[in-house]
Amino acid sequence: MLLCELCGQALRTEPEMRRHLLRVHLEREPRCPLCSFSAAGYDELRGHVDSAHPEPGPAPAGGPPQCPFCGETGASGRQVEAHVRSRHSHLLDPPAPGNGQQLYECPMCDLVSANCQILQEHVDLHLEEHHFSEDIHVGGSLSDLELAQQLQNEEDRQQGLEEARQEREEFQKLQRQYGLDSSGGYKQQSLKNMEREVARGRMQPSEYHKRKADMMESLAFGVDDGKTKTSGVIEALCRYYQNEIKDVRRVWLSTGVDHFHSSLGDRGWGCGYRNFQMLLSSLLRNGMYDDCLGDITLIPCIPKIQSMIEDAWKEGFDPQGASHFSNRLHGTKAWIGACEIYSLLTSLRLKCQIIDFHKSTGPLGTHPCLFEWVLSYYSSNRDGGTKVVCTPKPPIYMQHQGHSRTIVGIEERKNRTLCLLIFDPGCPSQEMQKLLKQSNDDTSLKLLRKFVGSLKDKQYQIVAVDGKLSPEEKVVRCQASQVFTAERIP
């Protein structure tokens, strides 16, 4: 470590000391390193040192004399002076012009020196300083690149975390949407929604306790409580068409079908189960299916239907579908579709088929082939010229993206267009009961009528019952369902 004799600053190397002297002390008044005297120039400073601090002898007791610039010692003051003139003359005042001595100017600053070698050393200092500055700049650039890379890496990491979070939330949203989030099933949702109704003042505590008791009893027996059921609509439609046929040429209707709508316990996910209840209500009225339905004499509640589908899976029906639901429906809010309905019906030895209308067959995304198939299903027996045909046909389960409904009949209009008659589990009982009034008109039928232009979903699947299966046929259907694909039309 070197110590500057002029200011006392500690410097690590001699080149640093040189730079320090050039930067700091060439632009300041020279000061005596032995006292506080300030000189106008280094010649004056040298004279001050000689007069005020004379050389005490060839070997002073205080030690040999030192160079005021670098601290190097000499045998005598004259030797130190010679050292200063040879090594540090560029720090001394330049010689006066006109004395006949050759002068050299630094090409990089205003320094003038009479010694070419000393000037070369001085210029080398400039070059060292220049390279040092470049090193600092390059080092800084590398640091900036590293910092930029770190910032980019951090941004990529944050983006990855955000994408993972969004993907996780989307997956959880889908789980909730399809009832696969382990948040409970029909019972839990019923209690939660009834408690919310009480908190909002829409239900009295006494009614809450009564409805809770009724629900628990219904679940214990596995039978629907009938609170969302509307009966007699098909019979009302028969009367209406007989009296007010208007623009309808002919109409075909299923055997009496009860309408079921969603309740507090299955709102948002129970449409598939409610449509099965509608289909089953018609089958129970038809003695042809008594031996298939066996002990089923009342409409089962939704948790019971879930258990029935699980039983069908245990028999071997639709293993892929069972795997999708992890072989469990009971106690969940899982949506079901056409495949689950088909498996359940077939496990009951009901002969049915599932038809996939996988693409539009008409203009503007419509499905006229679906309407033609339904007409063929209902009119297969051709009942002469009767305008209102109450067929023995069960209703048709119809599935599309996000919802399912039940087809209970079809109109053939006088202009040869077709119109489906549909029960929607999303329609509340209050609206369905309007169809029971004697003063029924076309306005109330808007709830049921769906023309070709009304069904524009990308894909539809229907499940239709058309007879019974023998035990042997049931086994064959079960084996076939393990590699089952729906029949496609067209």
Side-chain angles (χ1 to χ4, degrees):
M1 188 69 69
L2 301 178
L3 192 66
C4 177
E5 294 289 344
L6 301 180
C7 64
Q9 181 175 344
L11 300 161
R12 291 178 297 180
T13 64
E14 185 173 345
E16 288 186 13
M17 176 68 78
R18 292 177 183 176
R19 285 193 288 270
H20 169 73
L21 292 172
L22 286 172
R23 292 173 180 170
V24 177
H25 297 297
L26 280 177
E27 298 178 359
R28 299 181 183 177
E29 296 179 348
R31 301 177 67 87
C32 176
L34 303 176
C35 67
S36 59
F37 174 76
S38 297
Y42 284 101
D43 282 343
E44 182 181 352
L45 177 62
R46 182 169 48 81
H48 163 77
V49 171
D50 288 342
S51 61
H53 308 287
E55 186 177 349
Q66 294 182 339
C67 172
F69 299 115
C70 65
E72 184 176 334
T73 60
S76 65
R78 298 303 179 189
Q79 186 177 351
V80 171
E81 181 180 351
H83 162 77
V84 169
R85 287 188 176 281
S86 64
R87 297 294 301 274
H88 307 296
S89 61
H90 59 287
L91 301 178
L92 303 177
D93 289 337
N99 60 2
Q101 190 175 14
Q102 177 69 40
L103 300 178
Y104 304 96
E105 293 185 2
C106 175
M108 306 178 75
C109 67
D110 296 333
L111 178 70
V112 178
S113 176
N115 189 311
C116 182
Q117 182 178 359
I118 293 176
L119 182 64
Q120 181 62 45
E121 292 181 1
H122 169 76
V123 172
D124 289 342
L125 289 175
H126 276 301
L127 295 176
E128 288 181 13
E129 187 177 21
H130 176 69
H131 290 306
F132 179 75
S133 299
E134 282 189 344
D135 291 343
I136 294 176
H137 177 69
V138 172
S141 298
L142 290 175
S143 298
D144 289 344
L145 288 174
E146 291 175 357
L147 178 60
Q149 186 64 44
Q150 289 178 1
L151 292 174
Q152 183 63 47
N153 291 340
E154 178 64 18
E155 183 179 346
D156 292 343
R157 188 181 72 85
Q158 292 293 340
Q159 183 177 353
L161 291 175
E162 178 65 19
E163 290 176 353
R165 184 189 64 80
Q166 292 179 356
E167 183 177 343
R168 185 169 57 253
E169 289 181 354
E170 188 66 25
F171 179 69
Q172 292 172 350
K173 179 180 178 181
L174 288 173
Q175 283 187 315
R176 290 192 300 270
Q177 179 180 350
Y178 292 102
L180 301 174
D181 58 348
S182 301
S183 62
Y186 180 88
K187 174 183 174 181
Q188 289 79 1
Q189 181 170 315
S190 295
L191 294 174
K192 182 178 179 180
N193 285 336
M194 286 194 294
E195 290 168 0
R196 185 180 291 119
E197 293 292 296
V198 172
R200 294 176 177 176
R202 299 174 182 172
M203 182 184 296
Q204 295 297 321
S206 57
E207 182 183 359
Y208 165 80
H209 290 292
K210 181 180 183 305
R211 293 181 64 172
K212 179 181 177 181
D214 291 342
M215 180 193 69
M216 299 303 291
E217 181 180 0
S218 170
L219 296 179
F221 288 98
V223 177
D224 187 80
D225 58 14
K227 295 184 183 300
T228 70
K229 180 177 73 171
T230 301
S231 300
V233 176
I234 297 296
E235 292 76 8
L237 290 175
C238 285
R239 293 191 299 269
Y240 166 77
Y241 284 114
Q242 289 171 353
N243 298 326
E244 302 287 342
I245 199 69
K246 289 189 177 180
D247 296 329
V248 178
R249 180 172 174 267
R250 297 190 74 183
V251 60
W252 291 264
L253 297 171
S254 289
T255 301
V257 184
D258 295 332
H259 177 269
F260 291 82
H261 73 81
S262 299
S263 67
L264 292 176
D266 62 289
R267 186 176 298 163
W269 58 273
C271 58
Y273 304 98
R274 295 300 183 181
N275 285 306
F276 175 75
Q277 289 178 329
M278 297 185 206
L279 174 55
L280 186 59
S281 71
S282 178
L283 294 173
L284 287 173
R285 286 183 170 92
N286 192 329
M288 171 183 176
Y289 301 107
D290 287 350
D291 58 336
C292 297
L293 299 178
D295 296 334
I296 302 176
T297 57
L298 299 173
I299 301 297
C301 62
I302 287 179
K304 178 62 176 179
I305 298 173
Q306 292 177 321
S307 296
M308 293 168 66
I309 296 174
E310 291 178 357
D311 291 340
W313 289 340
K314 291 175 183 177
E315 289 186 51
F317 288 95
D318 191 18
Q320 291 184 348
S323 175
H324 171 75
F325 293 102
S326 300
N327 296 286
R328 177 174 173 265
L329 286 176
H330 192 272
T332 73
K333 295 191 287 286
W335 292 23
I336 60 171
C339 291
E340 288 70 49
I341 297 299
Y342 174 87
S343 296
L344 175 53
L345 293 172
T346 307
S347 71
L348 296 174
R349 291 201 301 112
L350 293 168
K351 183 180 179 181
C352 58
Q353 54 183 324
I354 179 171
I355 312 296
D356 184 7
F357 297 89
H358 65 285
K359 65 179 182 179
S360 167
T361 54
L364 302 177
T366 56
H367 293 263
C369 281
L370 168 61
F371 286 70
E372 293 290 343
W373 193 96
V374 174
L375 176 63
S376 175
Y377 170 80
Y378 277 108
S379 62
S380 57
N381 293 329
R382 295 293 177 187
D383 297 298
T386 307
K387 291 184 176 181
V388 181
V389 183
C390 295
T391 73
K393 296 283 188 178
I396 301 170
Y397 177 97
M398 181 177 72
Q399 177 79 46
H400 56 87
Q401 180 62 40
H403 195 40
S404 59
R405 291 175 280 185
T406 298
I407 300 173
V408 299
I410 186 170
E411 293 178 347
E412 184 181 35
R413 315 286 286 186
K414 289 184 177 179
N415 60 3
R416 297 294 180 177
T417 60
L418 300 176
C419 177
L420 298 181
L421 300 174
I422 291 178
F423 281 4
D424 190 334
C427 183
S429 296
Q430 295 87 336
E431 295 297 322
M432 293 299 296
Q433 288 170 3
K434 294 179 181 178
L435 296 168
L436 303 178
K437 297 179 180 179
Q438 295 295 329
S439 58
N440 230 346
D441 55 22
D442 283 353
T443 303
S444 57
L445 278 181
K446 288 182 179 180
L447 289 171
L448 309 183
R449 282 176 169 156
K450 298 297 175 184
F451 293 92
V452 173
S454 303
L455 300 184
K456 293 185 178 181
D457 278 86
K458 183 178 180 180
Q459 180 180 4
Y460 290 88
Q461 283 186 325
I462 61 175
V463 181
V465 176
D466 193 18
K468 301 183 296 181
L469 295 173
S470 66
E472 294 76 19
E473 289 174 325
K474 175 184 172 180
V475 172
V476 173
R477 291 284 181 107
C478 180
Q479 294 172 347
S481 73
Q482 298 176 12
V483 290
F484 174 77
T485 56
E487 178 185 352
R488 286 192 166 192
I489 296 179

